[in-house]
Amino acid sequence: MGYLWRVRLSAFAAGAATASAAGFFLLYKDHLFARATIASQNDVIFRFPEMNRNVMVDSSCEDIHEHQLPGFHSLTDDWYKTHSFHKVPERDQMAGLFGKQAAMYAAARPTYPKDLFAKLAALTAHHRLAWDVGTGSGQAAIDVAEHYDSVVATDVSAEQLRHATPHPKVRYLHTPDAAPGDDVVAALGGEGGVDLITVAEAVHWFDLLAFYGVARRVLQRPGGVIAVWGYNYRMSPVEDMMARFYRTTVPYWDPRARHAMDGYVNLPFPFDDIGLGREGEPTSLDMEQEMSFEGLIGMLSSWSAVTTAKQQGVDLLSEPVVKEMEQEWGGASLIRKVTFKAFLLAGTPRADD
C-alpha cells in the first residue's frame, strides 16, 4: 500500500496517530453552521429537563432525541447591504460539510493556551455560567470549565457533538437553527445569566446580527465578557509551504471564510474594549503545538475547501503534492513544533445597547 494511502486511511480513521496532532485552520468546523439533519440520526441522547437552565447531551451517545430550537429569522436585506456578512445557507447545504468528518476534526484540532482562559476568567465579575458557542467537540468548553461552575456548549452539528469530550461541568446542547433565539436564552437561565461567552474558530460562520443580539441579552451587566478567536493557514516555521497550498484552495472556500483569512481585522465586533483586542484591531495570539506530518495531512484533508474540491473532481492533496510537502516538512517521521498565528477579540456589552 502506497505512503499516500497509508496517510489518508490513518487520518480518516481519526486514530491515535492524529489524536496528538494539532489541528490547523479547520474551517470545516467551522462546523458552526453545519445545520445537521439530526432528525434522521439516532446516535446521541439529548435531554432537555424542565426547570434546568442547562441542556445536556448524555455521554453514552447511543440514541438521540432532538429538541429543536427555532432561533431568529428577522434579518433584512437592507442590513446585509450595509454589513459585510453572508446570509446563512440552507441547512442541507452545510450539514454535509460539517458532519462527515467530525471524528477526524475532533482529533486534529489544536488546543488553546491555558493562560487565555485564565485571563478571560479574571475579567468577569462572577464565575457561575459560561456559554461556549460553536463548541464542536468541546475543546474550548472543557478549558472554560476549569474556571466556571457550569458551561453550556452549543453547536448546530449533532455529529460534532457526538464526538464531544465529556466533562462533569459541561452540558452540550444541539441548536439546529443557526441563529439562536428565545429557547437558547431560556436554556442559559434567561437574560443576564451568563458571565462569559466564548467562540473558538467559528464566529465568522455566524448570523452575526442575531448572535450579537442574543449575546447582549444573556450577558451579565456589568461584568459579562464575550471573547471570539480564530486561526488560519499562517503557521510557522512552514509559512511558505502553507501559503502555497492555501492558494490552491482559494476557489473552493465558502465566502464567509474571508473574515478568518483576514485575521478578524474586518469582523464586526460591537462591544466595548477590555484590553484584549477590539473591532478592527484584534490581539495576536500564538498557539504552539507539536505536529506530525501525518497529522498535518489529516488536518488539511479536513478543510472544507479540500472536501468541496474533491466533490468537484479536484484532488488538492494528490500524491505529488503530498510528496512535495513531505520533503519540505523534513520527512514523514519528523515531529515539528509549530506555531499557529491566532487572533482574538474580547469585549463587554456597551452601556447604551
Side-chain angles (χ1 to χ4, degrees):
M1 183 180 293
Y3 172 75
L4 175 60
W5 285 107
R6 293 199 307 272
V7 167
R8 288 180 174 175
L9 286 173
S10 58
F12 276 87
T18 57
S20 61
F24 181 61
F25 177 38
L26 303 182
L27 285 174
Y28 199 84
K29 156 183 181 166
D30 298 353
H31 64 266
L32 289 182
F33 288 93
R35 307 294 183 89
T37 52
I38 187 172
S40 64
Q41 301 175 10
N42 60 2
D43 35 23
V44 187
I45 294 177
F46 288 97
R47 301 191 192 122
F48 201 116
E50 295 182 2
M51 307 303 292
N52 188 339
R53 70 180 180 182
N54 298 330
V55 181
M56 179 176 181
V57 55
D58 192 279
S59 60
S60 63
C61 295
E62 295 172 353
D63 301 304
I64 192 166
H65 176 72
E66 179 184 12
H67 182 85
Q68 297 282 354
L69 299 181
F72 290 135
H73 300 283
S74 59
L75 300 182
T76 64
D77 289 336
D78 288 342
W79 188 85
Y80 274 101
K81 289 176 182 177
T82 58
H83 293 75
S84 56
F85 309 142
H86 286 260
K87 290 185 177 181
V88 178
E90 294 300 320
R91 178 183 303 182
D92 290 346
Q93 292 177 306
M94 298 304 291
L97 277 180
F98 299 135
K100 292 178 181 177
Q101 298 182 12
M104 181 170 59
Y105 181 77
R109 280 203 63 204
T111 56
Y112 303 113
K114 294 289 187 181
D115 63 347
L116 168 62
F117 301 98
K119 287 179 181 178
L120 294 175
L123 292 171
T124 65
H126 305 284
H127 300 87
R128 292 186 287 266
L129 177 63
W131 178 24
D132 186 47
V133 196
T135 194
S137 51
Q139 284 89 344
I142 59 176
D143 285 326
V144 173
E146 294 182 9
H147 304 276
Y148 291 82
D149 297 337
S150 180
V151 179
V152 173
T154 62
D155 203 288
V156 298
S157 172
E159 186 65 15
Q160 289 279 355
L161 291 174
R162 191 173 74 84
H163 296 279
T165 303
H167 190 285
K169 290 185 179 181
V170 178
R171 299 176 185 270
Y172 293 101
L173 167 65
H174 175 237
T175 52
D177 285 325
D182 290 341
D183 283 0
V184 172
V185 174
L188 293 167
E191 298 191 1
V194 175
D195 301 303
L196 175 69
I197 297 174
T198 54
V199 188
E201 186 60 13
V203 76
H204 48 278
W205 294 100
F206 284 13
D207 175 341
L208 291 176
L209 180 63
F211 170 63
Y212 286 154
V214 170
R216 294 187 191 98
R217 290 175 63 188
V218 301
L219 279 173
Q220 287 267 358
R221 292 172 183 257
V225 170
I226 177 173
V228 304
W229 64 90
Y231 50 95
N232 52 33
Y233 63 91
R234 296 178 180 89
M235 181 177 72
S236 65
V238 289
E239 296 96 331
D240 292 343
M241 180 185 76
M242 295 310 303
R244 286 197 304 274
F245 180 72
Y246 164 71
R247 284 193 290 270
T248 70
T249 70
V250 168
Y252 306 102
W253 285 114
D254 184 288
R256 289 168 297 169
R258 72 185 183 280
H259 282 312
M261 302 304 177
D262 294 340
Y264 287 178
V265 171
N266 298 311
L267 181 79
F269 191 71
F271 297 90
D272 280 343
D273 179 15
I274 56 174
L276 286 177
R278 58 184 178 180
E279 186 175 74
E281 299 179 19
T283 290
S284 297
L285 180 67
D286 285 349
M287 302 193 309
E288 293 186 351
Q289 310 283 331
E290 288 192 347
M291 177 177 280
S292 68
F293 181 69
E294 194 170 43
L296 172 71
I297 298 302
M299 174 269 296
L300 294 178
S301 298
S302 301
W303 284 12
S304 59
V306 173
T307 301
T308 299
K310 197 164 189 177
Q311 292 171 345
Q312 298 178 18
V314 179
D315 187 1
L316 297 177
L317 285 170
S318 63
E319 188 164 359
V321 171
V322 172
K323 281 293 185 185
E324 183 179 350
M325 285 185 169
E326 179 188 336
Q327 292 176 359
E328 199 161 349
W329 183 263
S333 62
L334 182 63
I335 305 293
R336 302 195 67 161
K337 179 176 283 187
V338 299
T339 302
F340 294 93
K341 299 298 182 179
F343 29 88
L344 167 71
L345 294 166
T348 194
R350 294 170 177 168
D352 57 352
D353 283 342

